Amino acid sequence: MADLAARAAELDAADELGKLRERFTLPDGVVYLDGNSLGALPAGVAAATADVVTRQWGELLIRSWDESDWWTAPERIGDKIAPLVGAAPGQVVVGDSTSVNLFKALVGAARLAGPGRTRMLVDAATFPTDGYIAQSAARLTGLTAVPTDPADVPAALGEDTAVVLLNHVDYRTGRLHDLPGLTAAARAAGALVVWDLCHSAGALPVGLDAQAVDLAVGCTYKYLNGGPGAPAYLYIAERHQAAFDSPLPGWNGHADPFAMTPGYRPAEGATRGRVGTPDILSMLALEAALDAWDGVAVEAVRAKSLALTDFFLDCVAAYVPQGTVESVTPAEHAHRGSQISLRTDNAREVMRELISRGVIGDFRAPDVLRFGFTPLYVGFADAERAARTLGHIFG
């Protein structure tokens, strides 16, 4: 234990991102490894949100749509997210939930697909809501949704494939899928690909523009630390924007929303992905939260993420009795996101005990302990303490 604790101290001392923990408000004595479900509170959000409520809303009232730039928030905040997912400005719009944005993306992709294409390949292990939305989008557009393991997608693609829906990182296992390779395979088959970035954006480089991704969606309350229920985002590659036909043509996505005309004419660019009036309170809390990324390179975050998860696995091997837990997260860096998932008996009870001892992760049925490593505020001493506490629980 002393050796691993000393090693953790050395790694933390050399960590160039370690000082970023000061940008977050975290309770004393707690190891927080659930940022892959809900990110920690950035320190500037409380004051920014208070200003939105007391001054912008309380004093300026409706004038804030113009004077506080409320109206432009979805595009402005989208441009703050864009560098974190490898996108140029003007392609990301913020608003609605991930589920709603996924529906827009899938139906929009189906409408962009060429004639004679009848299948939608859907990540077989996807987060449940993605599967529900995909089934509905397929029915509405006359496609057949086909559950497919991401590794089997290249072989499953054909001239009848219209759309492919994939998760960049599997939510249960933390497996990182090959975005460049799978995107290229879909493009070669003439299909469009929609990526769900919920468990990768803010944890590792994505490269949407560089890899010629068509459409992508993601939440902002995990590694982007936007707060509970923070609005999601929709990426529409510039080359598709003029033809993107949203299935939810709300007044906010109209070319002239205040003309109040009976006919719909979509706005230019990614703005056509907007639907209704944005949730300003959570939208501007997210904008303040993104300030925590000032001066931070995603590549540095990825390097620390891999170092943290490597070290955590070393500590688990040293502290936890052999045979009591099994990692279901790939050991290879090229296939690992920013979480470690351990399979064990009585996983729900084990996680409850961990939380009672100040180590917060989460449980996924039936037998998985999940530990999310957010490099902006998680250190190596946190990883060592979490593994040591798990070892104590197992005796």
Side-chain angles (χ1 to χ4, degrees):
M1 287 187 185
D3 288 346
L4 286 170
R7 185 176 160 202
E10 291 173 0
L11 290 167
D12 280 330
D15 176 20
E16 294 182 357
L17 299 182
K19 60 182 180 295
L20 298 179
R21 188 182 180 103
E22 299 173 355
R23 298 184 181 184
F24 295 86
T25 301
L26 288 156
D28 293 335
V30 170
V31 173
Y32 190 62
L33 301 181
D34 208 8
N36 53 329
S37 284
L38 175 65
L41 172 66
V45 170
T49 303
D51 179 70
V52 173
V53 172
T54 60
R55 184 183 64 84
Q56 296 181 32
W57 178 16
E59 297 177 15
L60 296 179
L61 297 166
I62 200 168
R63 291 155 51 197
S64 273
W65 284 106
D66 293 320
E67 294 180 29
S68 300
D69 295 321
W70 285 359
W71 187 261
T72 62
E75 294 82 10
R76 182 176 73 246
I77 302 170
D79 283 346
K80 291 189 73 170
I81 292 172
L84 301 177
V85 293
Q91 298 177 99
V92 179
V93 64
V94 173
D96 306 311
S97 66
T98 306
S99 299
V100 172
N101 283 319
L102 183 62
F103 179 75
K104 299 178 210 171
L106 289 175
V107 175
R111 291 174 174 176
L112 287 168
R117 295 182 177 266
T118 59
R119 291 191 304 150
M120 177 187 294
L121 304 185
V122 179
D123 187 334
T126 189
F127 189 76
T129 196
D130 284 25
Y132 309 152
I133 296 293
Q135 290 284 348
S136 178
R139 289 196 303 272
L140 287 170
T141 56
L143 303 179
T144 299
V146 181
T148 309
D149 188 290
D152 297 332
V153 163
L157 289 163
E159 294 181 354
D160 61 345
T161 307
V163 183
V164 181
L165 169 62
L166 294 165
N167 289 267
H168 197 189
V169 174
D170 185 275
Y171 79 101
R172 287 188 76 249
T173 67
R175 174 177 288 276
L176 172 64
H177 295 302
D178 180 10
L179 183 147
L182 292 171
T183 300
R187 185 169 62 251
L192 285 90
V193 64
V194 178
W195 283 95
D196 183 330
L197 308 178
C198 285
H199 287 85
S200 62
L204 52 91
V206 177
L208 294 179
D209 286 353
Q211 304 305 329
V213 168
D214 299 299
L215 297 145
V217 301
C219 65
T220 61
Y221 49 77
K222 300 184 192 296
Y223 295 109
L224 297 180
N225 310 296
Y233 57 91
L234 170 65
Y235 165 86
I236 309 171
E238 185 178 12
R239 65 186 181 280
H240 291 309
Q241 290 175 359
F244 182 78
D245 181 9
S246 174
L248 297 173
W251 79 289
N252 262 232
H254 195 286
D256 189 1
F258 291 97
M260 304 297 176
T261 57
Y264 182 74
R265 182 165 56 89
E268 297 292 326
T271 298
R272 65 180 54 198
R274 291 174 64 161
V275 184
T277 305
D279 184 340
I280 289 298
L281 297 183
S282 60
M283 181 86 67
L284 298 187
L286 167 62
E287 183 172 32
L290 291 170
D291 289 343
W293 285 91
D294 287 352
V296 179
V298 178
E299 292 76 12
V301 170
R302 175 60 169 166
K304 181 178 175 181
S305 164
L306 292 172
L308 277 169
T309 48
D310 280 344
F311 181 63
F312 178 68
L313 287 172
D314 288 346
C315 292
V316 168
Y319 292 152
V320 180
Q322 188 173 2
T324 54
V325 300
E326 172 196 2
S327 177
V328 296
T329 303
E332 304 89 345
H333 287 181
H335 303 298
R336 186 196 306 168
S338 196
Q339 75 184 53
I340 295 295
S341 296
L342 303 176
R343 179 176 290 129
T344 189
D345 294 334
N346 302 315
R348 186 190 298 272
E349 290 73 21
V350 171
M351 183 53 68
R352 284 176 179 162
E353 184 61 23
L354 277 168
I355 292 172
S356 75
R357 300 186 188 201
V359 176
I360 301 177
D362 67 15
F363 160 77
R364 285 293 177 267
D367 57 2
V368 171
L369 306 170
R370 288 198 321 170
F371 301 95
F373 291 83
T374 305
L376 297 188
Y377 55 76
V378 172
F380 294 90
D382 296 323
E384 189 272 339
R385 178 183 160 191
R388 175 161 38 88
T389 304
L390 187 61
H392 286 317
I393 291 171
F394 282 104

